Short mmCIF file of all heavy atoms in Angstrom, two decimals:
data_model
loop_
_atom_site.label_atom_id
_atom_site.label_comp_id
_atom_site.label_asym_id
_atom_site.label_seq_id
_atom_site.Cartn_x
_atom_site.Cartn_y
_atom_site.Cartn_z
N MET O 1282 59.34 -1.10 -65.65
CA MET O 1282 60.14 -0.04 -66.26
C MET O 1282 59.39 1.19 -66.34
O MET O 1282 58.30 1.21 -66.88
CB MET O 1282 60.69 -0.50 -67.58
CG MET O 1282 62.13 -0.31 -67.77
SD MET O 1282 62.63 -0.22 -69.50
CE MET O 1282 63.34 -1.87 -69.65
N GLU O 1283 59.95 2.26 -65.86
CA GLU O 1283 59.17 3.55 -65.96
C GLU O 1283 59.72 4.45 -67.01
O GLU O 1283 60.98 4.65 -67.11
CB GLU O 1283 59.20 4.25 -64.63
CG GLU O 1283 58.03 3.85 -63.72
CD GLU O 1283 57.90 4.65 -62.49
OE1 GLU O 1283 58.18 5.93 -62.57
OE2 GLU O 1283 57.66 4.05 -61.40
N ARG O 1284 58.87 5.03 -67.80
CA ARG O 1284 59.33 5.95 -68.78
C ARG O 1284 58.57 7.34 -68.60
O ARG O 1284 57.35 7.27 -68.35
CB ARG O 1284 59.00 5.47 -70.20
CG ARG O 1284 59.84 4.25 -70.56
CD ARG O 1284 59.41 3.61 -71.93
NE ARG O 1284 59.89 4.64 -73.02
CZ ARG O 1284 59.50 4.47 -74.21
NH1 ARG O 1284 58.67 3.57 -74.58
NH2 ARG O 1284 59.92 5.30 -75.17
N PRO O 1285 59.20 8.38 -68.73
CA PRO O 1285 58.47 9.69 -68.63
C PRO O 1285 57.40 9.74 -69.73
O PRO O 1285 57.74 9.59 -70.87
CB PRO O 1285 59.65 10.70 -68.86
CG PRO O 1285 60.77 10.00 -69.46
CD PRO O 1285 60.67 8.47 -69.07
N SER O 1286 56.20 10.06 -69.26
CA SER O 1286 55.19 10.06 -70.21
C SER O 1286 55.09 11.39 -71.08
O SER O 1286 54.67 11.39 -72.24
CB SER O 1286 53.79 9.91 -69.45
OG SER O 1286 53.67 10.88 -68.46
N THR O 1287 55.61 12.44 -70.46
CA THR O 1287 55.58 13.74 -71.18
C THR O 1287 57.01 14.28 -71.27
O THR O 1287 57.73 14.20 -70.33
CB THR O 1287 54.71 14.79 -70.53
OG1 THR O 1287 55.07 14.88 -69.10
CG2 THR O 1287 53.24 14.44 -70.68
N GLN O 1288 57.28 14.72 -72.41
CA GLN O 1288 58.70 15.35 -72.61
C GLN O 1288 58.47 16.86 -72.63
O GLN O 1288 57.74 17.42 -73.43
CB GLN O 1288 59.28 14.91 -73.92
CG GLN O 1288 59.67 13.40 -73.83
CD GLN O 1288 61.06 13.15 -74.34
OE1 GLN O 1288 61.50 13.83 -75.34
NE2 GLN O 1288 61.77 12.25 -73.71
N LEU O 1289 59.16 17.56 -71.70
CA LEU O 1289 58.98 18.95 -71.62
C LEU O 1289 59.73 19.66 -72.75
O LEU O 1289 60.89 19.45 -73.05
CB LEU O 1289 59.54 19.44 -70.28
CG LEU O 1289 58.76 19.02 -69.10
CD1 LEU O 1289 59.48 19.43 -67.79
CD2 LEU O 1289 57.38 19.66 -69.05
N SER O 1290 58.94 20.42 -73.47
CA SER O 1290 59.57 21.21 -74.57
C SER O 1290 60.09 22.59 -74.13
O SER O 1290 60.54 23.36 -74.88
CB SER O 1290 58.57 21.42 -75.66
OG SER O 1290 57.37 21.94 -75.18
N VAL O 1291 59.95 22.87 -72.82
CA VAL O 1291 60.38 24.12 -72.30
C VAL O 1291 61.91 24.15 -72.15
O VAL O 1291 62.50 25.15 -71.71
CB VAL O 1291 59.71 24.58 -71.02
CG1 VAL O 1291 58.29 24.85 -71.20
CG2 VAL O 1291 59.83 23.43 -69.96
N TYR O 1292 62.55 23.01 -72.28
CA TYR O 1292 63.99 22.85 -72.14
C TYR O 1292 64.77 23.84 -72.87
O TYR O 1292 65.72 24.53 -72.35
CB TYR O 1292 64.34 21.46 -72.44
CG TYR O 1292 65.74 21.11 -72.11
CD1 TYR O 1292 66.05 20.86 -70.75
CD2 TYR O 1292 66.79 20.98 -73.05
CE1 TYR O 1292 67.39 20.53 -70.34
CE2 TYR O 1292 68.01 20.65 -72.75
CZ TYR O 1292 68.31 20.38 -71.34
OH TYR O 1292 69.64 20.15 -71.03
N GLU O 1293 64.40 24.05 -74.14
CA GLU O 1293 65.09 25.00 -75.01
C GLU O 1293 65.05 26.36 -74.52
O GLU O 1293 66.03 27.13 -74.58
CB GLU O 1293 64.48 24.90 -76.46
CG GLU O 1293 65.28 24.04 -77.40
CD GLU O 1293 64.60 24.06 -78.75
OE1 GLU O 1293 64.40 25.04 -79.35
OE2 GLU O 1293 64.22 22.95 -79.14
N THR O 1294 63.95 26.78 -73.97
CA THR O 1294 63.73 28.12 -73.58
C THR O 1294 64.64 28.45 -72.37
O THR O 1294 64.85 29.71 -72.17
CB THR O 1294 62.29 28.45 -73.28
OG1 THR O 1294 61.85 27.59 -72.24
CG2 THR O 1294 61.35 28.37 -74.46
N ALA O 1295 65.04 27.54 -71.68
CA ALA O 1295 65.93 27.74 -70.55
C ALA O 1295 67.26 28.42 -71.03
O ALA O 1295 67.87 29.16 -70.17
CB ALA O 1295 66.27 26.46 -69.85
N TYR O 1296 67.58 28.21 -72.20
CA TYR O 1296 68.80 28.83 -72.72
C TYR O 1296 68.57 30.19 -73.37
O TYR O 1296 69.57 30.89 -73.71
CB TYR O 1296 69.50 27.90 -73.71
CG TYR O 1296 70.12 26.66 -72.99
CD1 TYR O 1296 69.29 25.50 -72.94
CD2 TYR O 1296 71.29 26.73 -72.32
CE1 TYR O 1296 69.82 24.36 -72.32
CE2 TYR O 1296 71.76 25.62 -71.63
CZ TYR O 1296 71.03 24.44 -71.62
OH TYR O 1296 71.49 23.30 -71.04
N MET O 1297 67.35 30.44 -73.66
CA MET O 1297 66.95 31.65 -74.27
C MET O 1297 66.52 32.63 -73.39
O MET O 1297 65.26 32.81 -73.11
CB MET O 1297 65.92 31.42 -75.41
CG MET O 1297 66.28 30.39 -76.40
SD MET O 1297 67.67 30.93 -77.51
CE MET O 1297 66.78 31.90 -78.71
N ARG O 1298 67.42 33.43 -72.69
CA ARG O 1298 67.02 34.39 -71.69
C ARG O 1298 66.99 35.76 -72.35
O ARG O 1298 67.80 36.08 -73.22
CB ARG O 1298 68.12 34.33 -70.60
CG ARG O 1298 68.10 33.01 -69.91
CD ARG O 1298 68.86 33.22 -68.61
NE ARG O 1298 69.07 31.88 -67.91
CZ ARG O 1298 68.06 31.40 -67.11
NH1 ARG O 1298 66.97 31.98 -66.96
NH2 ARG O 1298 68.30 30.24 -66.48
N VAL O 1299 66.04 36.55 -71.84
CA VAL O 1299 65.91 37.88 -72.35
C VAL O 1299 66.17 38.82 -71.18
O VAL O 1299 65.59 38.61 -70.08
CB VAL O 1299 64.43 38.04 -72.91
CG1 VAL O 1299 64.32 39.48 -73.39
CG2 VAL O 1299 64.24 37.10 -74.03
N CYS O 1300 66.86 39.82 -71.44
CA CYS O 1300 67.12 40.88 -70.42
C CYS O 1300 65.84 41.58 -70.04
O CYS O 1300 65.10 42.01 -70.93
CB CYS O 1300 68.19 41.87 -70.99
SG CYS O 1300 68.51 43.27 -69.90
N THR O 1301 65.62 41.64 -68.73
CA THR O 1301 64.34 42.25 -68.31
C THR O 1301 64.31 43.69 -68.60
O THR O 1301 63.20 44.25 -68.74
CB THR O 1301 64.21 42.02 -66.79
OG1 THR O 1301 64.37 40.58 -66.50
CG2 THR O 1301 62.85 42.39 -66.31
N SER O 1302 65.46 44.40 -68.64
CA SER O 1302 65.51 45.78 -68.82
C SER O 1302 65.34 46.15 -70.27
O SER O 1302 64.56 47.08 -70.62
CB SER O 1302 66.77 46.34 -68.23
OG SER O 1302 66.83 46.15 -66.83
N CYS O 1303 66.18 45.58 -71.13
CA CYS O 1303 66.21 46.03 -72.51
C CYS O 1303 65.55 45.06 -73.40
O CYS O 1303 65.48 45.32 -74.64
CB CYS O 1303 67.66 46.38 -72.99
SG CYS O 1303 68.69 44.95 -72.98
N ARG O 1304 65.10 43.94 -72.99
CA ARG O 1304 64.34 42.86 -73.81
C ARG O 1304 65.23 42.22 -74.83
O ARG O 1304 64.71 41.80 -75.89
CB ARG O 1304 63.14 43.49 -74.44
CG ARG O 1304 62.30 44.25 -73.46
CD ARG O 1304 61.07 43.41 -72.97
NE ARG O 1304 60.38 44.22 -71.94
CZ ARG O 1304 59.77 43.74 -70.86
NH1 ARG O 1304 59.93 42.40 -70.74
NH2 ARG O 1304 59.15 44.30 -70.01
N ARG O 1305 66.51 42.38 -74.65
CA ARG O 1305 67.43 41.86 -75.66
C ARG O 1305 67.68 40.38 -75.39
O ARG O 1305 67.73 39.97 -74.27
CB ARG O 1305 68.77 42.64 -75.66
CG ARG O 1305 69.59 42.42 -76.88
CD ARG O 1305 70.70 43.48 -76.87
NE ARG O 1305 71.47 43.37 -75.64
CZ ARG O 1305 72.50 42.58 -75.37
NH1 ARG O 1305 72.96 41.72 -76.32
NH2 ARG O 1305 73.11 42.59 -74.23
N LEU O 1306 67.73 39.58 -76.39
CA LEU O 1306 67.95 38.20 -76.25
C LEU O 1306 69.43 37.95 -75.84
O LEU O 1306 70.37 38.50 -76.42
CB LEU O 1306 67.72 37.44 -77.55
CG LEU O 1306 67.35 35.99 -77.51
CD1 LEU O 1306 66.04 35.76 -76.77
CD2 LEU O 1306 67.26 35.39 -78.88
N LEU O 1307 69.61 37.14 -74.72
CA LEU O 1307 70.99 36.97 -74.30
C LEU O 1307 71.53 35.52 -74.79
O LEU O 1307 70.72 34.64 -74.76
CB LEU O 1307 71.00 36.94 -72.78
CG LEU O 1307 70.50 38.27 -72.18
CD1 LEU O 1307 70.35 38.04 -70.64
CD2 LEU O 1307 71.51 39.35 -72.39
N ARG O 1308 72.73 35.55 -75.12
CA ARG O 1308 73.40 34.28 -75.42
C ARG O 1308 73.83 33.66 -74.19
O ARG O 1308 74.13 34.33 -73.15
CB ARG O 1308 74.60 34.59 -76.30
CG ARG O 1308 74.18 34.94 -77.75
CD ARG O 1308 75.34 35.13 -78.60
NE ARG O 1308 76.24 36.13 -78.00
CZ ARG O 1308 77.13 36.74 -78.68
NH1 ARG O 1308 77.35 36.43 -79.94
NH2 ARG O 1308 77.93 37.67 -78.08
N PRO O 1309 73.95 32.27 -74.14
CA PRO O 1309 74.34 31.57 -72.91
C PRO O 1309 75.74 31.97 -72.35
O PRO O 1309 75.95 31.90 -71.21
CB PRO O 1309 74.24 30.11 -73.43
CG PRO O 1309 73.41 30.10 -74.60
CD PRO O 1309 73.62 31.43 -75.27
N ASP O 1310 76.54 32.41 -73.26
CA ASP O 1310 77.89 32.82 -72.87
C ASP O 1310 78.00 34.26 -72.36
O ASP O 1310 79.06 34.73 -71.99
CB ASP O 1310 78.87 32.45 -73.95
CG ASP O 1310 78.60 33.29 -75.19
OD1 ASP O 1310 77.36 33.57 -75.54
OD2 ASP O 1310 79.58 33.73 -75.89
N GLU O 1311 76.93 34.96 -72.40
CA GLU O 1311 76.96 36.35 -72.06
C GLU O 1311 76.90 36.46 -70.54
O GLU O 1311 76.38 35.73 -69.81
CB GLU O 1311 75.75 37.12 -72.66
CG GLU O 1311 76.14 38.22 -73.60
CD GLU O 1311 74.93 38.97 -74.04
OE1 GLU O 1311 74.37 38.48 -75.04
OE2 GLU O 1311 74.56 40.00 -73.43
N LYS O 1312 77.63 37.49 -70.09
CA LYS O 1312 77.64 37.78 -68.62
C LYS O 1312 76.40 38.53 -68.20
O LYS O 1312 76.27 39.75 -68.22
CB LYS O 1312 78.92 38.65 -68.32
CG LYS O 1312 80.20 37.85 -68.23
CD LYS O 1312 81.36 38.76 -67.81
CE LYS O 1312 82.66 38.04 -67.95
NZ LYS O 1312 83.74 38.90 -67.79
N ALA O 1313 75.44 37.81 -67.73
CA ALA O 1313 74.18 38.36 -67.26
C ALA O 1313 73.96 38.00 -65.87
O ALA O 1313 74.53 37.01 -65.35
CB ALA O 1313 73.06 37.85 -68.12
N VAL O 1314 73.27 38.87 -65.10
CA VAL O 1314 72.92 38.63 -63.77
C VAL O 1314 71.59 38.19 -63.62
O VAL O 1314 70.65 38.79 -64.21
CB VAL O 1314 73.15 39.93 -62.97
CG1 VAL O 1314 72.93 39.75 -61.46
CG2 VAL O 1314 74.59 40.50 -63.13
N ILE O 1315 71.41 37.11 -62.91
CA ILE O 1315 70.00 36.52 -62.74
C ILE O 1315 69.72 36.50 -61.29
O ILE O 1315 70.49 35.85 -60.55
CB ILE O 1315 69.87 35.21 -63.38
CG1 ILE O 1315 70.24 35.27 -64.93
CG2 ILE O 1315 68.45 34.64 -63.22
CD1 ILE O 1315 70.57 33.87 -65.49
N PHE O 1316 68.59 37.13 -60.90
CA PHE O 1316 68.29 36.99 -59.46
C PHE O 1316 66.71 37.09 -59.32
O PHE O 1316 66.02 37.49 -60.26
CB PHE O 1316 68.93 38.15 -58.69
CG PHE O 1316 68.61 39.51 -59.26
CD1 PHE O 1316 67.51 40.32 -58.74
CD2 PHE O 1316 69.31 40.00 -60.27
CE1 PHE O 1316 67.25 41.52 -59.29
CE2 PHE O 1316 69.04 41.31 -60.81
CZ PHE O 1316 68.00 42.11 -60.32
N SER O 1317 66.24 36.63 -58.15
CA SER O 1317 64.82 36.70 -57.97
C SER O 1317 64.36 38.03 -57.65
O SER O 1317 65.15 38.78 -57.08
CB SER O 1317 64.43 35.69 -56.79
OG SER O 1317 64.78 34.38 -57.11
N CYS O 1318 63.19 38.39 -57.97
CA CYS O 1318 62.63 39.66 -57.62
C CYS O 1318 62.70 39.92 -56.11
O CYS O 1318 62.25 39.10 -55.35
CB CYS O 1318 61.22 39.82 -58.10
SG CYS O 1318 60.36 41.27 -57.59
N PRO O 1319 63.32 41.08 -55.70
CA PRO O 1319 63.48 41.31 -54.30
C PRO O 1319 62.21 41.55 -53.61
O PRO O 1319 62.06 41.55 -52.36
CB PRO O 1319 64.39 42.50 -54.21
CG PRO O 1319 64.33 43.11 -55.57
CD PRO O 1319 63.95 42.05 -56.57
N ASN O 1320 61.16 41.88 -54.31
CA ASN O 1320 59.80 42.14 -53.71
C ASN O 1320 58.93 40.96 -53.65
O ASN O 1320 58.42 40.68 -52.57
CB ASN O 1320 59.19 43.30 -54.56
CG ASN O 1320 57.90 43.85 -53.88
OD1 ASN O 1320 57.99 44.24 -52.65
ND2 ASN O 1320 56.80 43.95 -54.53
N CYS O 1321 58.71 40.25 -54.73
CA CYS O 1321 57.77 39.09 -54.65
C CYS O 1321 58.49 37.73 -54.75
O CYS O 1321 57.94 36.78 -54.36
CB CYS O 1321 56.79 39.16 -55.84
SG CYS O 1321 57.48 39.06 -57.44
N GLY O 1322 59.72 37.79 -55.30
CA GLY O 1322 60.53 36.58 -55.39
C GLY O 1322 59.92 35.55 -56.29
O GLY O 1322 60.38 34.39 -56.24
N GLN O 1323 58.93 35.84 -57.13
CA GLN O 1323 58.29 34.91 -57.98
C GLN O 1323 58.87 34.83 -59.28
O GLN O 1323 58.44 33.91 -60.08
CB GLN O 1323 56.76 35.25 -58.01
CG GLN O 1323 55.98 34.86 -56.78
CD GLN O 1323 54.51 35.13 -57.01
OE1 GLN O 1323 53.84 34.57 -57.87
NE2 GLN O 1323 53.93 36.04 -56.26
N VAL O 1324 59.66 35.68 -59.67
CA VAL O 1324 60.18 35.72 -61.00
C VAL O 1324 61.66 36.09 -61.02
O VAL O 1324 62.20 36.66 -60.12
CB VAL O 1324 59.36 36.80 -61.87
CG1 VAL O 1324 59.75 38.23 -61.47
CG2 VAL O 1324 59.48 36.55 -63.35
N GLU O 1325 62.24 35.54 -62.10
CA GLU O 1325 63.71 35.81 -62.23
C GLU O 1325 63.88 37.10 -63.06
O GLU O 1325 63.34 37.33 -64.12
CB GLU O 1325 64.36 34.70 -63.08
CG GLU O 1325 64.74 33.51 -62.24
CD GLU O 1325 65.50 32.55 -63.12
OE1 GLU O 1325 65.37 32.53 -64.33
OE2 GLU O 1325 66.29 31.69 -62.51
N ILE O 1326 64.70 37.97 -62.46
CA ILE O 1326 65.10 39.24 -63.16
C ILE O 1326 66.39 38.97 -63.79
O ILE O 1326 67.34 38.54 -63.13
CB ILE O 1326 65.15 40.37 -62.10
CG1 ILE O 1326 63.88 40.53 -61.26
CG2 ILE O 1326 65.55 41.76 -62.86
CD1 ILE O 1326 62.71 41.09 -61.94
N ILE O 1327 66.41 39.29 -65.04
CA ILE O 1327 67.64 38.99 -65.80
C ILE O 1327 68.17 40.29 -66.30
O ILE O 1327 67.47 41.05 -67.00
CB ILE O 1327 67.44 38.01 -66.97
CG1 ILE O 1327 66.90 36.64 -66.35
CG2 ILE O 1327 68.75 37.71 -67.71
CD1 ILE O 1327 66.16 35.94 -67.40
N ARG O 1328 69.42 40.62 -66.02
CA ARG O 1328 69.98 41.83 -66.57
C ARG O 1328 71.30 41.57 -67.26
O ARG O 1328 72.22 40.81 -66.75
CB ARG O 1328 70.32 42.77 -65.44
CG ARG O 1328 69.10 43.15 -64.59
CD ARG O 1328 69.41 44.06 -63.49
NE ARG O 1328 69.47 45.41 -63.96
CZ ARG O 1328 70.06 46.42 -63.34
NH1 ARG O 1328 70.66 46.22 -62.20
NH2 ARG O 1328 70.03 47.68 -63.81
N CYS O 1329 71.39 42.01 -68.42
CA CYS O 1329 72.57 41.82 -69.28
C CYS O 1329 73.67 42.72 -68.68
O CYS O 1329 73.51 43.58 -67.98
CB CYS O 1329 72.30 42.10 -70.74
SG CYS O 1329 71.97 43.79 -71.15
N TYR O 1330 74.84 42.37 -69.24
CA TYR O 1330 76.07 43.09 -68.77
C TYR O 1330 75.84 44.61 -69.03
O TYR O 1330 76.30 45.37 -68.14
CB TYR O 1330 77.23 42.54 -69.55
CG TYR O 1330 78.60 43.27 -69.24
CD1 TYR O 1330 79.21 43.01 -68.01
CD2 TYR O 1330 79.18 44.08 -70.21
CE1 TYR O 1330 80.42 43.65 -67.75
CE2 TYR O 1330 80.45 44.68 -69.92
CZ TYR O 1330 81.02 44.50 -68.72
OH TYR O 1330 82.15 45.14 -68.44
N LYS O 1331 75.40 45.00 -70.12
CA LYS O 1331 75.29 46.42 -70.50
C LYS O 1331 74.38 47.11 -69.52
O LYS O 1331 74.64 48.20 -69.05
CB LYS O 1331 74.72 46.45 -71.93
CG LYS O 1331 75.70 47.09 -72.87
CD LYS O 1331 75.20 47.09 -74.28
CE LYS O 1331 74.21 48.19 -74.55
NZ LYS O 1331 73.77 48.13 -76.02
N CYS O 1332 73.26 46.55 -69.29
CA CYS O 1332 72.23 47.09 -68.34
C CYS O 1332 72.73 47.19 -66.95
O CYS O 1332 72.49 48.21 -66.20
CB CYS O 1332 70.96 46.36 -68.38
SG CYS O 1332 69.97 46.60 -69.96
N ARG O 1333 73.56 46.25 -66.59
CA ARG O 1333 74.17 46.29 -65.24
C ARG O 1333 75.13 47.40 -65.08
O ARG O 1333 75.20 48.06 -64.11
CB ARG O 1333 74.75 44.93 -64.94
CG ARG O 1333 74.93 44.66 -63.40
CD ARG O 1333 75.63 43.36 -63.17
NE ARG O 1333 76.99 43.37 -63.69
CZ ARG O 1333 77.95 42.47 -63.45
NH1 ARG O 1333 77.68 41.56 -62.48
NH2 ARG O 1333 79.12 42.56 -63.86
N LYS O 1334 75.93 47.54 -66.12
CA LYS O 1334 76.93 48.56 -66.17
C LYS O 1334 76.31 49.94 -66.16
O LYS O 1334 76.89 50.89 -65.54
CB LYS O 1334 77.81 48.38 -67.39
CG LYS O 1334 79.28 48.66 -67.23
CD LYS O 1334 80.06 48.36 -68.50
CE LYS O 1334 81.25 49.22 -68.62
NZ LYS O 1334 81.95 48.99 -69.93
N GLN O 1335 75.24 50.10 -66.90
CA GLN O 1335 74.63 51.42 -67.02
C GLN O 1335 73.48 51.60 -65.92
O GLN O 1335 72.80 52.57 -66.00
CB GLN O 1335 74.00 51.62 -68.40
CG GLN O 1335 75.05 51.60 -69.46
CD GLN O 1335 74.48 51.60 -70.87
OE1 GLN O 1335 73.28 51.66 -71.00
NE2 GLN O 1335 75.30 51.48 -71.86
N THR O 1336 73.40 50.61 -65.08
CA THR O 1336 72.29 50.57 -64.04
C THR O 1336 70.98 51.00 -64.57
O THR O 1336 70.35 51.86 -64.10
CB THR O 1336 72.69 51.43 -62.73
OG1 THR O 1336 73.02 52.76 -63.24
CG2 THR O 1336 73.91 50.83 -62.09
N VAL O 1337 70.55 50.31 -65.63
CA VAL O 1337 69.30 50.54 -66.20
C VAL O 1337 68.15 50.00 -65.31
O VAL O 1337 68.39 48.90 -64.70
CB VAL O 1337 69.17 49.94 -67.58
CG1 VAL O 1337 67.80 50.09 -68.25
CG2 VAL O 1337 70.24 50.47 -68.57
N LYS O 1338 67.06 50.67 -65.16
CA LYS O 1338 66.02 50.23 -64.30
C LYS O 1338 65.39 48.95 -64.81
O LYS O 1338 65.30 48.72 -66.04
CB LYS O 1338 64.90 51.27 -64.20
CG LYS O 1338 65.21 52.26 -63.12
CD LYS O 1338 63.88 52.93 -62.65
CE LYS O 1338 63.19 53.71 -63.84
NZ LYS O 1338 61.92 54.38 -63.38
N TYR O 1339 64.89 48.07 -63.90
CA TYR O 1339 64.19 46.92 -64.38
C TYR O 1339 62.76 46.94 -63.72
O TYR O 1339 62.57 47.56 -62.63
CB TYR O 1339 64.88 45.62 -64.00
CG TYR O 1339 65.09 45.42 -62.45
CD1 TYR O 1339 64.04 44.81 -61.69
CD2 TYR O 1339 66.31 45.77 -61.84
CE1 TYR O 1339 64.27 44.68 -60.36
CE2 TYR O 1339 66.49 45.59 -60.52
CZ TYR O 1339 65.44 45.06 -59.72
OH TYR O 1339 65.60 44.91 -58.42
N THR O 1340 61.82 46.28 -64.33
CA THR O 1340 60.51 46.24 -63.81
C THR O 1340 60.11 44.76 -63.67
O THR O 1340 60.20 43.98 -64.69
CB THR O 1340 59.48 47.06 -64.67
OG1 THR O 1340 60.00 48.35 -64.81
CG2 THR O 1340 58.08 47.06 -64.04
N CYS O 1341 59.69 44.33 -62.53
CA CYS O 1341 59.20 42.99 -62.35
C CYS O 1341 57.95 42.79 -63.10
O CYS O 1341 57.00 43.51 -62.93
CB CYS O 1341 59.06 42.65 -60.84
SG CYS O 1341 58.27 41.07 -60.54
N PRO O 1342 57.88 41.78 -64.00
CA PRO O 1342 56.61 41.54 -64.75
C PRO O 1342 55.43 41.01 -63.90
O PRO O 1342 54.33 41.00 -64.33
CB PRO O 1342 57.08 40.52 -65.77
CG PRO O 1342 58.31 39.86 -65.18
CD PRO O 1342 58.96 40.84 -64.36
N VAL O 1343 55.76 40.58 -62.69
CA VAL O 1343 54.74 40.03 -61.86
C VAL O 1343 54.07 41.12 -60.90
O VAL O 1343 52.91 41.29 -60.89
CB VAL O 1343 55.24 38.79 -61.02
CG1 VAL O 1343 54.20 38.34 -60.02
CG2 VAL O 1343 55.61 37.64 -61.97
N CYS O 1344 55.01 41.72 -60.13
CA CYS O 1344 54.42 42.68 -59.14
C CYS O 1344 54.63 44.12 -59.59
O CYS O 1344 54.19 45.06 -58.94
CB CYS O 1344 55.03 42.44 -57.81
SG CYS O 1344 56.87 42.75 -57.67
N GLY O 1345 55.41 44.38 -60.64
CA GLY O 1345 55.65 45.78 -61.06
C GLY O 1345 56.68 46.51 -60.26
O GLY O 1345 56.80 47.75 -60.47
N PHE O 1346 57.40 45.83 -59.48
CA PHE O 1346 58.48 46.48 -58.72
C PHE O 1346 59.58 46.88 -59.57
O PHE O 1346 60.03 46.21 -60.51
CB PHE O 1346 59.01 45.43 -57.72
CG PHE O 1346 60.21 45.84 -56.89
CD1 PHE O 1346 60.01 46.65 -55.79
CD2 PHE O 1346 61.49 45.57 -57.25
CE1 PHE O 1346 61.11 47.13 -55.04
CE2 PHE O 1346 62.63 45.95 -56.57
CZ PHE O 1346 62.40 46.77 -55.39
N THR O 1347 60.08 48.25 -59.42
CA THR O 1347 61.22 48.64 -60.24
C THR O 1347 62.37 48.85 -59.24
O THR O 1347 62.16 49.19 -58.11
CB THR O 1347 60.78 49.96 -60.94
OG1 THR O 1347 60.35 50.94 -59.88
CG2 THR O 1347 59.80 49.72 -61.97
N GLY O 1348 63.47 48.58 -59.79
CA GLY O 1348 64.69 48.74 -59.00
C GLY O 1348 65.91 49.00 -59.88
O GLY O 1348 65.85 48.86 -61.14
N PRO O 1349 66.96 49.38 -59.23
CA PRO O 1349 68.24 49.74 -60.01
C PRO O 1349 68.99 48.44 -60.19
O PRO O 1349 68.83 47.51 -59.47
CB PRO O 1349 68.94 50.69 -59.05
CG PRO O 1349 68.46 50.43 -57.72
CD PRO O 1349 67.03 49.78 -57.83
ZN1 ZN E 1319 69.86 44.61 -70.98
ZN1 ZN E 1320 58.19 41.03 -58.29
#
């Protein structure tokens, strides 16, 4: 019988998303756009509905790429 030796505690944070542009905490039911950085693809860019509507700039925390 195999049992997982380590239990990941990062599970909770999967639901706690923060908008990359305004740093606001997003609720799971919020209409946010999540996509990989178009430059490095190493990080998820998350934009809340408000930022998407106002086309607020975002900055990739990994490569520093900014985009609309
Ligand atoms: Zn936002
Ligand atoms: Zn990037």
Side-chain angles (χ1 to χ4, degrees):
M1282 231 202 253
E1283 270 188 42
R1284 292 178 69 189
S1286 52
T1287 49
Q1288 290 228 323
L1289 292 174
S1290 54
V1291 291
Y1292 190 71
E1293 256 176 62
T1294 56
Y1296 292 97
M1297 302 294 277
R1298 297 195 184 277
V1299 178
C1300 174
T1301 307
S1302 296
C1303 66
R1304 313 259 175 216
R1305 198 168 54 85
L1306 203 68
L1307 300 170
R1308 284 181 307 198
D1310 61 324
E1311 241 182 274
K1312 279 184 192 171
V1314 183
I1315 302 163
F1316 56 95
S1317 298
C1318 171
N1320 190 51
C1321 68
Q1323 281 185 65
V1324 72
E1325 273 186 341
I1326 307 287
I1327 302 156
R1328 301 181 81 198
C1329 67
Y1330 177 72
K1331 245 174 81 177
C1332 286
R1333 200 183 62 163
K1334 214 174 155 189
Q1335 297 174 4
T1336 53
V1337 178
K1338 273 203 302 183
Y1339 63 82
T1340 306
C1341 172
V1343 173
C1344 67
F1346 176 82
T1347 55

